[in-house]
Amino acid sequence: MGFYDAEGTPVKEVSVGRHPHEMVFSSDGRYLFYYDNGVLLMTEKTTGRNTISIVDVAKQEKAGVVDLGPHRRPHGIDFDAATGHVLVTTELPARY
């Protein structure tokens, strides 16, 4: 992900996982949670990735990674300000 100044000039890049997709800020704006889907297209037949990258916005650096274990290809993320939890849905394993 990239940080830019007010004129749109790149300031710094932070490496997150393969094919990051959606993101959400913590309620205080300090952290950005960016999930690493791992696939470019939804029709890909691969397992994709299973992590959420945490970026410290003020420091403009990666603060950590959350491993989702067997739950892969995250798609959909939100931050619950009441609990401080990051909520994410995943595509795999599919349960019907």
Side-chain angles (χ1 to χ4, degrees):
M1 69 167 281
F3 287 89
Y4 297 82
D5 67 16
E7 288 76 39
T9 304
V11 175
K12 188 170 183 181
E13 288 186 8
V14 176
S15 179
V16 294
R18 186 169 176 229
H19 294 302
H21 190 57
E22 296 173 359
M23 60 185 168
V24 66
F25 284 96
S26 58
S27 57
D28 62 3
R30 179 175 176 186
Y31 294 103
L32 178 66
F33 301 90
Y34 214 137
Y35 69 71
D36 310 314
N37 185 283
V39 297
L40 184 59
L41 301 172
M42 300 300 294
T43 55
E44 288 184 35
K45 302 292 184 200
T46 65
T47 57
R49 301 292 175 138
N50 65 336
T51 57
I52 299 171
S53 293
I54 306 168
V55 175
D56 186 315
V57 177
K59 293 181 179 179
Q60 297 182 348
E61 64 186 29
K62 195 171 194 174
V65 175
V66 177
D67 187 326
L68 300 174
H71 307 284
R72 305 190 71 80
R73 291 174 60 156
H75 196 93
I77 191 168
D78 202 0
F79 186 84
D80 183 351
T83 64
H85 293 164
V86 175
L87 310 171
V88 64
T89 58
T90 59
E91 298 172 357
L92 295 174
R95 310 259 175 166
Y96 299 100

